[in-house]
Amino acid sequence: MKARVKWVEDLRFIGQPTSGHGVVMDASAGAEGKVSGGSSPMEMILMGLGGCAGIDVVMILKKSREAVTDCVVDLEATRAET
């Protein structure tokens, strides 16, 4: 697995994995009143953890021949100040 993250401007970056599905990451939200143009890198980590957990749950249920109709992973995190 490989990915490239390219700086665009200010605190905005484009992440491009080998799958070709790029994502915008922007840590500008709250900085000097700027509006964010994408999810922050820390939000991406949180969503990635939720995605991995959700995939595991769905795969286990499907292997058990359960009829999966929905899966929602709610996440909440607090970032350390330092």
Side-chain angles (χ1 to χ4, degrees):
M1 184 175 359
K2 290 185 179 183
R4 168 177 278 174
V5 176
K6 183 173 180 0
W7 177 61
V8 178
E9 63 182 350
D10 296 327
L11 297 176
R12 187 172 297 146
F13 292 79
I14 302 291
Q16 187 78 35
T18 53
S19 67
H21 302 285
V23 295
V24 177
M25 294 178 283
D26 191 346
S28 295
E32 302 169 7
K34 293 184 178 183
V35 176
S36 176
S39 299
S40 75
M42 292 302 287
E43 290 171 329
M44 297 291 291
I45 290 171
L46 187 62
M47 289 187 289
L49 289 170
C52 286
I55 288 168
D56 287 347
V57 168
V58 169
M59 287 178 62
I60 290 167
L61 289 171
K62 285 189 170 200
K63 283 182 181 178
S64 300
R65 297 194 173 137
E66 296 292 332
V68 180
T69 59
D70 195 15
C71 179
V72 177
V73 180
D74 288 321
L75 302 126
E76 184 175 334
T78 303
R79 184 175 180 175
E81 291 184 23
T82 59

